[in-house]
Amino acid sequence: MSVKYGIMTLLYDKKCHGYELKIELDQLLGNKGKVNPGQIYTTLDRLIRDELVIPLNIDEQERKLFTLDASGKTELEKWLLEAVPYHSTKEDFFFKWICARKIDYANESQMLEQQKAMVLKEVMDLTKLKTDLLIKGDENNYLLISGRLLHLEADLNWISQVENRQTKP
Amino acid sequence: MIKVSGLVKSFTQGKNITEVLKDVDLKIEEGEFVAIMGPSGSGKSTLLQLLGGLDSPTNGKIEIDGKAISEMSENQRTIFRRKNIGIIFQNYQLLNNLTVEENIAFPLYADGTLDKEKMKEVKELIQAVGLNELNKKQANLLSGGQQQRVAIARSLVNHPGVLLADEPTGNLDRSKAEEILLLLTQFHKKNNQTIVMVTHDIFAAGFADKIILFKDGTIEQIISREEENYAQYLANFMA
């Protein structure tokens, strides 16, 4: 999970102050734990330094507001369209997808299809590897790969479920 | 090698003519394991039936190992099939009142070639598919996975150069399907048989060297693992 892209998602179409970002980021993460406020401010500093986020004026309660720069929007959209390799954990894709939903991202279908292609490539590669392992008599690695394939099957089913629900009126 | 050119198959019902296969060209090299995928009604099972000589095409030519089966009479096709092609069906198609051993030996019995030596081979096949302890059991008393093992052994009893499988794992759960696919792969690697398998399941297709994507009676794409963007083609096709 990336605090950087979570913040950019929340700033995509509105201005927020630091505390708001903390509350909303916790919601975005669901039950995956809470973000340390210090982490939010250091990440914001880096985003400002990289010219992805713009610090604005102080609001009536003397809280500093932030917004996403055009280059920040481009950077976020680029990240959304990068498929997540399976070994870097599928949770990363789920987080990316929830960020896309949060901003009503127009290219969600493309995101899902790219992720599906990534999973399918893994399925094809691992099926071949698994068969070779079994023929060589490497039972343990065969079983480990079989386990990974079952997880990939669940991921593919999940992507299909999202796609099916998208097409419903 | 399997060579198909200009293959057309249409069915007539009353005044309606439905073209299920539309001018299909295809070449499958000897020893290749090919999966055919596509939506229901796309013509993939019809293609398999024509390759197996179970039906004749409306137009076009099918050659298997240089023999034009599309030009043979029904009887000639049956004889050719018994000697050269093994077929595995989704619903096993075993003779329910016969035992495991009798089902596997049945093609030899029908050909009148069943002798002591061949019976020894039948027993070896029973062992290879892991049904040694069930060889005297009646087919309809076996589980789905066990019945498909019998069907695989039966399809191999004549040492066919070509094995056709129509949704061989369609009725099985994931772990039983896995056993069947591994069995097929092991035989394929050992005997260098050409396998053509129709499936809707990408996890089954993953066992093949090549995947033929079928749509509306034509080949949409043939993809192999060596192609850089093959996973993207698959994802588009499955969308």
Side-chain angles (χ1 to χ4, degrees), chain B:
Chain B
M1 186 173 74
I2 299 174
K3 201 174 162 193
V4 169
S5 42
L7 194 66
V8 175
K9 179 68 185 173
S10 23
F11 294 99
T12 309
Q13 197 175 26
K15 286 180 184 170
N16 296 327
I17 299 173
T18 312
E19 210 170 54
V20 181
L21 294 177
K22 303 167 186 168
D23 199 17
V24 173
D25 294 321
L26 176 65
K27 208 189 261 185
I28 298 170
E29 299 295 337
E30 194 180 329
E32 264 189 323
F33 185 168
V34 171
I36 302 179
M37 293 188 80
S40 301
S42 58
K44 52 193 194 307
S45 289
T46 305
L47 174 67
L48 213 68
Q49 290 203 323
L50 295 180
L51 292 181
L54 296 168
D55 200 352
S56 56
T58 309
N59 262 315
K61 194 171 179 186
I62 303 171
E63 285 176 73
I64 294 181
D65 294 333
K67 306 271 167 29
I69 65 160
S70 49
E71 284 156 26
M72 292 178 186
S73 69
E74 200 175 331
N75 276 347
Q76 287 171 321
R77 282 204 314 266
T78 306
I79 293 166
F80 182 84
R81 182 173 61 245
R82 278 194 196 151
K83 288 185 177 163
N84 301 287
I85 302 170
I87 306 183
I88 303 160
F89 301 93
Q90 180 175 359
N91 57 359
Y92 329 123
Q93 298 208 1
L94 301 179
L95 294 160
N96 280 334
N97 297 327
L98 300 188
T99 64
V100 166
E101 191 175 276
E102 288 164 347
N103 263 287
I104 296 170
F106 191 79
L108 302 167
Y109 175 74
D111 277 349
T113 55
L114 184 61
D115 56 19
K116 248 187 179 174
E117 193 55 35
K118 292 278 183 189
M119 203 54 213
K120 201 177 144 215
E121 284 184 26
V122 168
K123 292 199 187 294
E124 282 166 5
L125 266 175
I126 293 172
Q127 190 158 19
V129 296
L131 292 174
N132 233 2
E133 286 164 17
L134 299 170
N135 65 335
K136 298 292 180 199
K137 200 162 182 176
Q138 213 169 289
N140 58 350
L141 300 176
L142 301 173
S143 71
Q146 290 165 342
Q147 289 194 48
Q148 198 58 299
R149 284 167 178 267
V150 177
I152 290 176
R154 181 186 57 187
S155 75
L156 293 168
V157 77
N158 269 333
H159 308 288
V162 174
L163 206 57
L164 305 176
D166 192 358
E167 299 274 11
T169 57
N171 285 349
L172 304 175
D173 67 32
R174 175 65 59 218
S175 79
K176 291 285 175 290
E178 169 96 358
E179 287 172 16
I180 293 301
L181 290 162
L182 286 170
L183 207 53
L184 277 178
T185 309
Q186 280 163 344
F187 281 122
H188 166 67
K189 294 215 187 266
K190 190 175 155 208
N191 305 330
N192 197 36
Q193 268 145 340
T194 309
I195 299 186
V196 185
M197 173 176 71
V198 163
T199 181
H200 66 277
D201 178 9
I202 186 65
F203 289 84
F207 284 81
D209 307 314
K210 245 185 210 172
I211 302 179
I212 297 172
L213 303 178
F214 227 78
K215 200 176 175 186
D216 298 331
T218 55
I219 293 172
E220 178 114 328
Q221 193 131 24
I222 300 178
I223 51 179
S224 66
R225 294 166 186 274
E226 288 77 43
E227 280 175 64
E228 202 179 325
N229 291 327
Y230 78 83
Q232 195 61 54
Y233 292 136
L234 270 180
N236 292 344
F237 187 76
M238 288 167 70

